[in-house]
Amino acid sequence: MDTPNRLINGVPIEAILREPVEIDPALAERIAYRTVKGPELAIVEPDPQWPDHFQTFKSRILAAFEEDHPQGGSDSASRVTILGIHHIGSTSVPTLPAKAVIDIDLVLSSNTLPFEPYYIPRLEAAGFQYLIREPAWHEHRFLAAWEPMSCNLHVWGPQCPEVERHRIFRDWLREHADDRELYARTKRECAALSREKGEVMDEYSMRKEGVIRQIRARAFRALGYLS
């Protein structure tokens, strides 16, 4: 089967299968430091309100893009449209324990530097603080909010393989209890070890990366993307 030439939502399967390279942290541009302390590294039982909180954040984002923000580049040449707002991460998977943080992928028609004056003021108006710019990683932008709970907002441009990887992983966990249980166990073990060693969130994420790749590979095979 010649899968590399196939497209999934406009993204070549070959790009989706390619594991992300480790990006030099020095390439990330720090815009600001959090005005509110981030959530603690703790895995909690699933909360039935998490989907409602996602909808709250989604509604705020949509409303901010509909409203006129003169400071946000109203000229048509700089206009940005929303292509997708997706609930991802563990809080998007029913019954899965998670850190109490809503993760969102916001996909824009363009998120590169020339378009920031259009979309960043709108996201700030929606209650998000702009924290990090990562041009080397699919032009990723990272923002955070804290009400009604902690939220990590990941901003991407169109046809981004990272967005597809997040979607595939989420959908697989929603449908496969065995991998959901494996991931829950891994998260708890990694969080406990990272707390014991005094590590931060990035080190916790790296600890569970091997299991994430195993689960993702099973999803890719089931979808016919890998033999």
Side-chain angles (χ1 to χ4, degrees):
M1 187 180 348
D2 185 18
T3 56
N5 294 325
R6 288 176 53 199
L7 301 179
I8 304 298
N9 296 324
V11 183
I13 288 179
E14 183 179 19
I16 297 171
L17 295 178
R18 192 181 306 126
E19 288 294 348
V21 297
E22 189 171 341
I23 302 296
D24 183 351
L27 298 177
E29 302 170 23
R30 169 66 65 176
I31 305 301
Y33 289 92
R34 292 174 183 264
T35 55
V36 175
K37 185 180 177 182
E40 293 186 3
L41 181 47
I43 306 302
V44 301
E45 291 304 308
D47 186 333
Q49 288 191 308
W50 285 341
D52 294 333
H53 292 324
F54 162 71
Q55 291 297 334
T56 296
F57 288 119
K58 180 178 179 178
S59 296
R60 288 178 187 170
I61 294 168
L62 289 171
F65 272 71
E66 289 168 0
E67 293 170 4
D68 186 25
H69 290 271
Q71 76 277 23
S74 56
D75 144 22
S76 61
S78 67
R79 188 170 294 279
V80 173
T81 57
I82 294 174
L83 302 181
I85 304 176
H86 310 298
H87 189 186
I88 60 161
S90 295
T91 59
S92 69
V93 180
T95 77
L96 181 63
K99 298 188 306 297
V101 181
I102 302 295
D103 279 288
I104 298 175
D105 275 348
L106 171 62
V107 186
L108 301 178
S109 56
S110 183
N111 70 328
T112 56
L113 190 60
F115 294 89
E116 282 191 8
Y118 185 90
Y119 71 84
I120 289 297
R122 285 167 169 77
L123 294 176
E124 290 174 336
F128 293 91
Q129 183 188 10
Y130 187 17
L131 298 175
I132 296 173
R133 178 192 296 124
E134 295 184 277
W137 186 35
H138 307 292
E139 293 286 351
H140 176 244
R141 269 59 172 172
F142 176 70
L143 299 89
W146 298 275
E147 293 294 339
M149 65 179 291
S150 290
C151 177
N152 292 337
L153 181 65
H154 306 274
V155 183
W156 312 94
Q159 299 173 354
C160 177
E162 203 62 34
V163 172
E164 293 306 311
R165 279 192 285 269
H166 292 167
R167 177 188 60 79
I168 290 167
F169 187 72
R170 178 200 66 194
D171 291 352
W172 180 263
L173 288 180
R174 284 176 174 177
E175 296 170 6
H176 294 82
D178 50 350
D179 274 337
R180 205 161 53 240
E181 291 165 9
L182 168 63
Y183 191 45
R185 186 167 64 251
T186 299
K187 285 155 58 73
R188 287 192 175 106
E189 291 171 355
C190 290
L193 188 54
S194 287
R195 285 197 305 272
E196 180 185 321
K197 291 179 173 292
E199 296 173 344
V200 297
M201 203 69 73
D202 286 348
E203 292 161 316
Y204 157 75
S205 297
M206 288 302 299
R207 284 187 180 281
K208 59 191 178 78
E209 184 61 27
V211 169
I212 291 174
R213 292 189 179 195
Q214 290 173 23
I215 295 172
R216 198 160 52 210
R218 282 194 279 277
F220 290 156
R221 288 191 184 93
L223 291 165
Y225 302 166
L226 284 175
S227 56

